[in-house]
Amino acid sequence: MQRTLSLLTPSGHLTLGNLLGALRPMAAAATAAPAGCFYGVADLHAMTTPHDPGRLRALTAETATLMLAAGLDDATVFVQSRVPAHAQLAYLLECTATTGELGRMIQFKQKAGDESTRAALFTYPALMAADILLYRPDQVPVGADQRQHVELTRDLALRFNRLYGPVFTVPELVLPTAGARVMRLDDPARKMGKSDADEAGVVLLLDPPDVVRRKVARAVTDSDTGPDAVRAAPDKPGVSNLLDVLAACGGSPEGLTTYGALKRAVTDAVVAELEPLQKRYAELAADPGHVASVLEAGAARCREVAGPVLAEAQSVMGLGPS
Ligand code: TYM
């Protein structure tokens, strides 16, 4: 059976980028082969930058509930810190990765500041590789910003297998055809991110329809207003982004000749995408006991699946009895 794995970090409220780049492809895989899908909330990853414990706990619950609401409820859904094998394998992979490799990670270079940068921000890709390799997945569906981390994971799996023995499968990165890199509506040069303090150009999954409408209405487009103004082009990043979002939400650009018409079509498509998810979220959020028991069962299954893989990795590295 096909194995699929992916996690989301509870570092902010989930965005339209998280939905189109990750949650929707993850839900599609869960529909096709639910028993082979492992989807997690990467709460340990949310501690790599200064964090507030109460906010982390609340965002972990919100992220897990949104994942279930997005149609992942047939898969194994878990919280990373409840499965200790993740942190344990991460250490073994820190002993496999080099400082040169970790220092080349774009996200590290972007986020690292001065000497007060947390050490875990530097080693984060080893933890992410552990998240993946513990489950021997065939596919890892993610947005384009995670490409470099998944490629490093593949390199580490190959190196580990070569040095110590064939423990890990080398997973394939899967990017969606549309929505792989959703940009901010107010600044299409920047990725739509959930940890951005300024939410003006960021559509949140729990934004009500009128807020979505206002944010899309204020989206940056272009000064060109000719008859073929509504088209994707490298010099039209704002328009290209709106067309990409429209396509990812199943809309068509057919007959759209003005930016106003494009924005109305994008709003309608995004609202139609969010409405069922928000309805389901409200139902699940009203029953936190149910969500907690789903996560509990998910973590128990993960411990069963990941435990033997961790034990194999420890053994071939020379830990414990032979
Ligand atoms: P995170 O939490 O930043 O994002 C979660 C998922 O959403 C995708 N994504 C986007 N896709 C399209 N457009 C955007 N603007 C956009 N923003 C985010 C991300 O690519 C990701 O798929 N390190 C990871 C979480 C992680 C993980 C893993 C992922 C931890 N362990 C193992 C896969 C496998 C992260 O912080 O993603």
Side-chain angles (χ1 to χ4, degrees):
M1 191 209 315
Q2 174 95 356
R3 274 266 176 100
T4 306
L5 172 132
S6 202
L7 282 76
L8 290 89
T9 304
S11 50
H13 302 295
L14 294 190
T15 73
L16 184 63
N18 298 127
L19 180 69
L20 301 180
L23 289 172
R24 277 226 328 218
M26 289 160 71
T31 305
C37 293
F38 292 82
Y39 296 144
V41 182
D43 56 346
L44 297 175
H45 284 284
M47 295 164 57
T48 53
T49 50
H51 78 289
D52 173 75
R55 184 165 186 263
L56 172 59
R57 189 168 284 117
L59 284 173
T60 299
E62 182 183 295
T63 303
T65 309
L66 275 168
M67 288 167 70
L68 299 177
L72 308 186
D73 39 354
D74 289 334
T76 298
V77 178
F78 65 98
V79 175
Q80 182 190 35
S81 63
R82 302 293 95 197
V83 187
H86 287 250
Q88 291 173 281
L89 182 62
Y91 182 74
L92 305 191
L93 294 175
E94 282 173 27
C95 300
T96 308
T98 65
T99 54
E101 275 169 332
L102 296 176
R104 278 194 291 278
M105 293 295 114
I106 297 164
Q107 288 203 346
F108 174 72
K109 288 200 249 183
Q110 283 169 344
K111 288 193 197 165
D114 49 26
E115 286 191 350
S116 68
T117 298
R118 290 187 177 178
L121 185 69
F122 184 65
T123 55
Y124 161 116
L127 177 59
M128 177 159 162
D131 297 337
I132 298 173
L133 298 178
L134 273 177
Y135 296 85
R136 297 189 170 131
D138 305 288
Q139 300 202 322
V140 181
V142 283
D145 61 328
Q146 295 300 324
R147 176 192 284 278
Q148 199 187 22
H149 292 152
V150 178
E151 279 169 1
L152 175 65
T153 300
R154 290 167 54 89
D155 290 345
L156 295 180
L158 286 166
R159 184 178 312 147
F160 187 101
N161 289 349
R162 181 168 41 78
L163 288 173
Y164 307 110
V167 174
F168 301 123
T169 54
V170 182
E172 185 196 338
L173 166 90
V174 183
L175 297 179
T177 47
R181 191 173 175 81
V182 178
M183 310 306 280
R184 286 183 67 104
L185 300 178
D186 59 343
D187 182 358
R190 282 165 60 203
K191 186 188 75 170
M192 188 182 278
K194 63 174 130 57
S195 6
D196 299 352
D198 172 15
E199 288 174 359
V202 178
V203 176
L204 302 178
L205 295 189
L206 294 177
D207 274 347
D210 59 311
V211 174
V212 175
R213 195 168 305 281
R214 200 174 60 234
K215 287 179 177 173
V216 178
R218 292 191 187 148
V220 169
T221 49
D222 197 33
S223 53
D224 159 24
T225 54
D228 68 342
V230 180
R231 69 188 148 81
D235 61 340
K236 296 168 79 82
V239 178
S240 304
N241 188 40
L242 289 174
L243 285 167
D244 185 46
V245 168
L246 183 64
C249 293
S252 159
E254 199 85 9
L256 300 176
T257 53
T258 65
Y259 297 138
L262 172 63
K263 287 178 174 179
R264 279 190 293 279
V266 168
T267 303
D268 291 347
V270 171
V271 168
E273 193 72 35
L274 297 187
E275 249 171 4
L277 186 148
Q278 293 179 352
K279 189 164 169 282
R280 184 90 186 99
Y281 177 83
E283 289 163 8
L284 288 163
D287 191 356
H290 168 70
V291 174
S293 69
V294 170
L295 297 175
E296 194 64 45
R301 168 124 204 269
C302 289
R303 288 192 287 267
E304 262 170 46
V305 171
V309 181
L310 172 67
E312 247 183 84
Q314 289 171 325
S315 174
V316 296
M317 278 188 110
L319 302 176
S322 61

